[in-house]
């Protein structure tokens, strides 16, 4: 944490998978941390790393997950307010310990939980992106946009994708861009 905080050449973007906000689920998933330990680490990073952005991974509908346990995950999402989240419905993967477990959460419940989770994660991602409106940020140019060759795309130090126009811009340049609209 101190190294990330100390050096400007280390980007303040941190992928910190939470998986679930419930200790019993974390244990069943084979995670070696509790929700309290996760929050302690998250808060340390947030306090020490200036302008940090966070992404995470979350699985819903893991075997034996109850509604109350899922609600704990929503509380974690709302506490952390992630910039980006990779949300998935549990499905067994061959060769993993979970594959031997009974997949006892109904698909309808998994899908409903995923939709509810995505409402929370999308809300916080939008709030985080809107905070950039009106700011001038540095962007590492990735190249032309995939949708429009007259538009460039690149990433901020917080791993935010930015589409912009300009002249004499090349892949690998670092350019200053004013954020007009967040999506």
């Amino acid at each position: 944490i101190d190294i990330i905080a100390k050096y400007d050449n280390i980007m303040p973007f941190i992928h910190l998978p939470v998986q679930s906000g419930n200790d019993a689920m974390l244990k069943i998933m084979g995670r070696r941390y509790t929700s309290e330990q996760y929050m302690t680490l998250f808060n340390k990073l947030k306090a020490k790393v200036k302008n940090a952005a966070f992404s995470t991974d979350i699985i819903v509908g893991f075997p034996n997950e109850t509604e109350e346990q899922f609600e704990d995950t929503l509380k974690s999402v709302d506490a952390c307010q992630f910039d980006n989240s990779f949300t998935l419905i549990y499905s067994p993967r061959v060769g993993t310990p979970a594959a031997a477990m009974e997949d006892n959460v109904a698909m309808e419940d998994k899908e409903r939980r995923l939709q509810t989770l995505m409402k929370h994660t999308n809300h916080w991602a939008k709030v985080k992106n809107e905070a950039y409106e009106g700011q001038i940020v540095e962007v590492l140019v990735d190249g032309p946009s995939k949708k429009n060759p007259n538009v460039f795309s690149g990433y901020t130090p917080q791993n935010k994708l930015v589409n912009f126009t300009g002249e004499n811009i090349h892949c690998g340049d670092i350019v200053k861009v004013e954020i007009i609209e967040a999506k």
Side-chain angles (χ1 to χ4, degrees):
I1 295 171
D2 291 334
I3 297 296
I4 296 169
K6 183 177 178 179
Y7 294 99
D8 290 338
N9 64 333
I10 300 176
M11 299 297 94
F13 174 75
I14 300 152
H15 184 70
L16 195 63
V18 67
Q19 304 296 352
S20 172
N22 178 272
D23 290 345
M25 289 310 308
L26 289 170
K27 187 172 185 177
I28 290 171
M29 290 176 166
R31 306 299 171 204
R32 295 185 185 127
Y33 55 88
T34 65
S35 56
E36 182 180 347
Q37 290 169 325
Y38 181 92
M39 289 306 300
T40 298
L41 177 59
F42 177 87
N43 288 324
K44 259 188 191 177
L45 283 158
K46 190 174 176 182
K48 285 196 166 192
V49 179
K50 185 180 173 191
N51 298 319
F54 293 87
S55 66
T56 196
D57 298 332
I58 304 169
I59 299 172
V60 298
F62 201 84
N64 301 311
E65 182 186 57
T66 66
E67 284 299 318
E68 293 79 18
Q69 291 168 326
F70 171 66
E71 289 291 327
D72 287 343
T73 298
L74 293 178
K75 289 175 190 171
S76 290
V77 166
D78 290 340
C80 294
Q81 303 177 8
F82 297 106
D83 292 78
N84 189 21
S85 301
F86 301 94
T87 55
L88 305 160
I89 289 177
Y90 167 77
S91 60
R93 289 189 184 166
V94 177
T96 64
M101 297 178 178
E102 179 187 355
D103 189 1
N104 58 0
V105 179
M107 184 53 75
E108 302 81 44
D109 290 334
K110 291 178 184 184
E111 289 172 351
R112 178 184 45 77
R113 289 175 190 173
L114 181 64
Q115 292 306 311
T116 301
L117 175 63
M118 288 174 59
K119 284 179 185 172
H120 284 252
T121 59
N122 289 342
H123 166 76
W124 292 118
K126 187 172 190 243
V127 166
K128 295 291 186 162
N129 287 346
E130 287 173 343
Y132 284 85
E133 289 182 347
Q135 290 189 33
I136 295 174
V137 297
E138 286 190 340
V139 175
L140 174 60
V141 179
D142 200 30
S145 165
K146 292 176 184 172
K147 295 181 181 177
N148 183 343
N150 298 320
V151 174
F152 294 94
S153 68
Y155 292 88
T156 69
Q158 291 79 17
N159 204 38
K160 303 279 184 183
L161 176 63
V162 178
N163 293 305
F164 58 97
T165 58
E167 294 183 20
N168 298 320
I169 296 172
H170 303 92
C171 188
D173 288 350
I174 296 177
V175 297
K176 292 190 184 279
V177 176
E178 181 180 4
I179 304 301
I180 306 233
E181 181 184 6
K183 296 188 178 185

